Amino acid sequence: MLETKTSDSLLRNNVNFPTFSDLPHEYHVDPTYYVEGPYRIVPRQHWCFLGEIVGSYGLFRVLLRVKDKCGQVVTIGLYTDDRGHTLTPQIKPGHTVAVLYGEQHSFLDMTVGIRVEEPSIIKIIPCSLEQLLKASDDVAACNSNTQSRCCGSCGKEENTSHNTHLLLCSRCKQTSYCGEACQKQAWVDGHKADCKALVWVQWCAARNWGVFDGYFNF
Ligand SMILES: [Zn+2]
Ligand SMILES: [Zn+2]
């Protein structure tokens, strides 16, 4: 097994990927996330809330109930022009919602959560929050690991002197296989969801979350 250094795992960073209770509040200028510029308040860094869908309600507009990294269930209200209906086919319990630059909001129905007004800051990733966190650990481990690679299905090690070359998954470019049979087997065994998680984590890992120089969009 690869050793996992969770300290380097991007999605486990609680400043850039905060739980709901760590998000800035909409009526306070949180110095962790904002800095007062000469003309206006601007973000100091980037942040993204992650929550796994546990349900949805609302007929006029889509209201999602999501569970964050520490288990708190909050509401994500879609106040976009389409009231969230474009997202409806993607809403499935067990899938994860990512919201950029979210702030703590209190809804009229007395629940707390995040009010989303821009469609470009919300994305639904078709895998669980646990799968995303594991993908983040895997990306961190891969970046720091110099060991030889193993087949992601049967575990056979790459050995260039014995001509064992592994095939890299063309989508995530992270997981390797000793052959097509193992690749096909891994896909049905769950790499399909893990692969989407890895691709999303790689999108995140390619960005510098610590310095703000314009908003990210999904
Ligand atoms: Zn194999
Ligand atoms: Zn893959």
Side-chain angles (χ1 to χ4, degrees), residues 151-156 177-179 182:
C151 172
S153 187
C154 70
K156 191 191 277 179
Y177 302 100
C178 67
C182 270

Short mmCIF file of all heavy atoms in Angstrom, two decimals, residues 151-156 177-179 182, ligand 1:
data_model
loop_
_atom_site.label_atom_id
_atom_site.label_comp_id
_atom_site.label_asym_id
_atom_site.label_seq_id
_atom_site.Cartn_x
_atom_site.Cartn_y
_atom_site.Cartn_z
N CYS A 151 -0.24 -2.25 -10.32
CA CYS A 151 -1.52 -2.35 -11.02
C CYS A 151 -2.65 -2.01 -10.04
O CYS A 151 -2.68 -2.56 -8.93
CB CYS A 151 -1.71 -3.75 -11.58
SG CYS A 151 -3.36 -4.03 -12.26
N GLY A 152 -3.56 -1.13 -10.45
CA GLY A 152 -4.65 -0.69 -9.58
C GLY A 152 -5.70 -1.76 -9.37
O GLY A 152 -6.64 -1.55 -8.60
N SER A 153 -5.57 -2.89 -10.04
CA SER A 153 -6.55 -3.96 -9.85
C SER A 153 -5.94 -5.18 -9.16
O SER A 153 -6.36 -5.57 -8.08
CB SER A 153 -7.17 -4.35 -11.20
OG SER A 153 -8.21 -5.26 -11.01
N CYS A 154 -4.89 -5.77 -9.75
CA CYS A 154 -4.33 -7.00 -9.17
C CYS A 154 -3.11 -6.74 -8.29
O CYS A 154 -2.67 -7.62 -7.56
CB CYS A 154 -3.96 -8.00 -10.27
SG CYS A 154 -2.54 -7.49 -11.24
N GLY A 155 -2.56 -5.50 -8.35
CA GLY A 155 -1.44 -5.16 -7.48
C GLY A 155 -0.06 -5.51 -8.03
O GLY A 155 0.94 -5.25 -7.37
N LYS A 156 -0.03 -6.07 -9.24
CA LYS A 156 1.27 -6.44 -9.84
C LYS A 156 2.15 -5.19 -9.98
O LYS A 156 1.68 -4.12 -10.39
CB LYS A 156 1.05 -7.06 -11.22
CG LYS A 156 2.32 -7.70 -11.80
CD LYS A 156 2.14 -8.06 -13.26
CE LYS A 156 1.43 -9.40 -13.44
NZ LYS A 156 1.25 -9.73 -14.88
N TYR A 177 -2.60 0.13 -14.73
CA TYR A 177 -3.02 -1.28 -14.79
C TYR A 177 -2.02 -2.10 -15.59
O TYR A 177 -1.41 -1.60 -16.53
CB TYR A 177 -4.41 -1.39 -15.42
CG TYR A 177 -5.43 -0.60 -14.66
CD1 TYR A 177 -5.82 0.66 -15.11
CD2 TYR A 177 -5.96 -1.07 -13.46
CE1 TYR A 177 -6.73 1.42 -14.38
CE2 TYR A 177 -6.86 -0.32 -12.73
CZ TYR A 177 -7.23 0.92 -13.20
OH TYR A 177 -8.11 1.67 -12.47
N CYS A 178 -1.92 -3.40 -15.22
CA CYS A 178 -0.97 -4.27 -15.92
C CYS A 178 -1.48 -4.66 -17.30
O CYS A 178 -0.72 -5.11 -18.14
CB CYS A 178 -0.67 -5.51 -15.08
SG CYS A 178 -2.08 -6.60 -14.91
N GLY A 179 -2.78 -4.51 -17.53
CA GLY A 179 -3.31 -4.85 -18.84
C GLY A 179 -4.76 -4.42 -18.96
O GLY A 179 -5.36 -3.93 -18.00
N CYS A 182 -7.39 -6.04 -16.47
CA CYS A 182 -7.41 -5.43 -15.13
C CYS A 182 -8.07 -4.05 -15.17
O CYS A 182 -8.78 -3.66 -14.25
CB CYS A 182 -5.99 -5.32 -14.57
SG CYS A 182 -5.51 -6.79 -13.64
ZN ZN B 1 -3.31 -6.20 -12.96
#
